[in-house]
């Protein structure tokens, strides 16, 4: 039960990142690259301080570090660029749909045997998401921003698979952020200036710091604590609940209305997740 609650709390943190990122960019308070860079540095500073206070040290080594750092950079900037155009729920669907495929493939390549019930649960959860976000069968989607979110999903899948090797979740997450922050800063300098680039306003800066320090830094440390305790395929399926939570957050904080489609699809998705994750 404790593990289930930790996973649920982590999924809420993931969904909060979608809402925070979309709110900042849609509100015009900051551009995508600046949001990603501030998010990375805020997470790095927070995790270094926590490491010094709780562990008395900061460590930059460890298994899976290169994959973790590169996956984190790819995810952070792909995620931010995608939310220039995508809404919170649709972006989360593309992200975690890609994550599911990446982590399932990685788990199978690593020799994990995925039970039939877990495959059925994954299919049920994913079908609920597709129905939720494409109820009319036709959706206008920016190819560039959709592709950016696919790259973010690939990066997050790699980051999550690397996290299964973490010996200390706090120090490992801190190392990833500390090494990724300067790398991300250099990447941001090389990226072309985006059309929405502007001088950041305090609201955009605040949302980026909250996303980096709390829902990313602390949330990802919690995720690295959970990952070694579950199968890779279980972790992949559990994340399919995030788009539903993100849409709920959009209703609460971005003024979106509750619909019957959302209610039914949420039950389907969460039922699929339960089918895959819970024991018989």
């Amino acid at each position: 039960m404790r593990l289930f609650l930790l996973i649920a709390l982590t999924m809420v943190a993931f969904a909060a990142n979608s809402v925070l990122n979309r709110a900042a960019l849609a509100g015009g308070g900051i551009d995508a690259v600046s949001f990603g860079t501030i998010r990375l540095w805020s997470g790095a500073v927070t995790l270094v301080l926590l490491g010094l206070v709780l562990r008395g040290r900061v460590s930059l080594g460890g298994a899976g570090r290169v994959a973790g750092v590169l996956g984190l950079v790819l995810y952070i900037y792909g995620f931010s660029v995608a939310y220039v155009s995508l809404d919170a729920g649709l972006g989360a669907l593309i992200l975690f749909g890609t994550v599911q495929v990446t982590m399932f493939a990685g788990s199978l390549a690593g020799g994990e045997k995925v039970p039939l019930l877990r495959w059925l649960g994954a299919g049920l959860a994913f079908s609920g998401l597709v129905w939720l976000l494409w109820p009319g069968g036709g959706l206008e989607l920016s190819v560039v921003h959709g592709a950016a979110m696919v790259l973010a999903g690939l990066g997050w899948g790699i980051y999550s698979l690397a996290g299964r090797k973490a010996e200390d979740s706090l120090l490992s997450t801190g190392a990833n952020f500390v090494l990724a922050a300067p790398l991300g800063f250099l990447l941001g300098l090389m990226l072309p200036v985006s059309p929405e680039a502007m001088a950041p306003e305090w609201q955009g800066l605040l949302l980026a710091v909250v996303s980096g320090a709390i829902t990313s830094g602390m949330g990802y440390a919690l995720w690295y604590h959970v990952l070694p305790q579950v199968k890779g395929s279980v972790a992949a399926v559990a994340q399919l609940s995030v788009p539903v939570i993100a849409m709920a957050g959009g209703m609460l904080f971005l003024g979106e209305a509750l619909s019957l489609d959302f209610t039914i699809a949420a039950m389907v998705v969460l039922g699929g997740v339960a089918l895959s994750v819970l024991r018989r």
Side-chain angles (χ1 to χ4, degrees):
M1 185 63 180
R2 177 178 176 274
L3 181 60
F4 178 82
L5 292 176
L6 289 177
I7 292 176
L9 180 60
T10 308
M11 298 305 104
V12 171
F14 291 172
N17 279 321
S18 291
V19 176
L20 290 169
N21 205 150
R22 179 57 184 159
L25 297 181
I30 195 170
D31 66 277
V33 173
S34 297
F35 187 97
T37 300
I38 294 170
R39 182 182 174 190
L40 262 181
W41 281 91
S42 298
V45 171
T46 300
L47 290 166
V48 165
L49 292 176
L50 287 175
L52 292 175
V53 171
L54 300 179
R55 300 288 192 273
R57 63 191 177 95
V58 175
S59 174
L60 299 182
R65 184 65 59 242
V66 173
V69 171
L70 295 179
L72 181 60
V73 171
L74 183 59
Y75 156 74
I76 287 286
Y77 287 95
F79 188 87
S80 291
V81 170
Y83 272 127
V84 171
S85 173
L86 305 179
D87 63 21
L90 177 58
L93 169 64
I94 297 172
L95 175 70
F96 289 104
T98 307
V99 167
Q100 183 189 35
V101 173
T102 303
M103 293 192 68
F104 259 70
S107 297
L108 292 174
E112 180 183 330
K113 294 182 179 179
V114 180
L116 176 60
L117 197 62
R118 195 169 300 157
W119 283 109
L120 292 175
L124 179 62
F126 193 71
S127 67
L129 290 175
V130 172
W131 178 51
L132 173 63
L133 294 172
W134 281 292
L139 180 70
E140 294 184 4
L141 176 66
S142 166
V143 175
V144 172
H145 298 100
M149 192 60 89
V150 169
L151 290 176
L154 178 63
W156 183 253
I158 294 170
Y159 182 83
S160 296
L161 289 169
R164 302 187 65 196
K165 302 176 182 178
E167 297 180 359
D168 186 301
S169 58
L170 178 60
L171 294 181
S172 293
T173 309
N176 287 334
F177 271 79
V178 168
L179 295 173
L183 183 61
F185 178 74
L186 293 176
L187 177 63
L189 292 178
M190 291 187 292
L191 290 173
V193 177
S194 56
E196 83 282 1
M198 64 195 75
E201 300 177 359
W202 73 266
Q203 297 96 329
L205 292 171
L206 178 61
L207 291 174
V209 170
V210 171
S211 177
I214 301 176
T215 55
S216 294
M218 296 183 185
Y220 298 173
L222 181 58
W223 185 230
Y224 263 31
H225 173 72
V226 168
L227 281 170
Q229 305 177 57
V230 298
K231 297 284 188 181
S233 56
V234 173
V237 175
Q239 292 178 91
L240 287 176
S241 63
V242 174
V244 176
I245 303 172
M247 290 195 75
M251 293 174 190
L252 288 173
F253 302 109
L254 303 179
E256 300 175 4
L258 178 65
S259 67
L260 180 61
D261 278 343
F262 173 82
T263 303
I264 296 175
M267 294 173 64
V268 172
V269 172
L270 296 178
V273 172
L275 186 66
S276 298
V277 176
L278 300 181
R279 294 184 181 275
R280 195 178 297 180

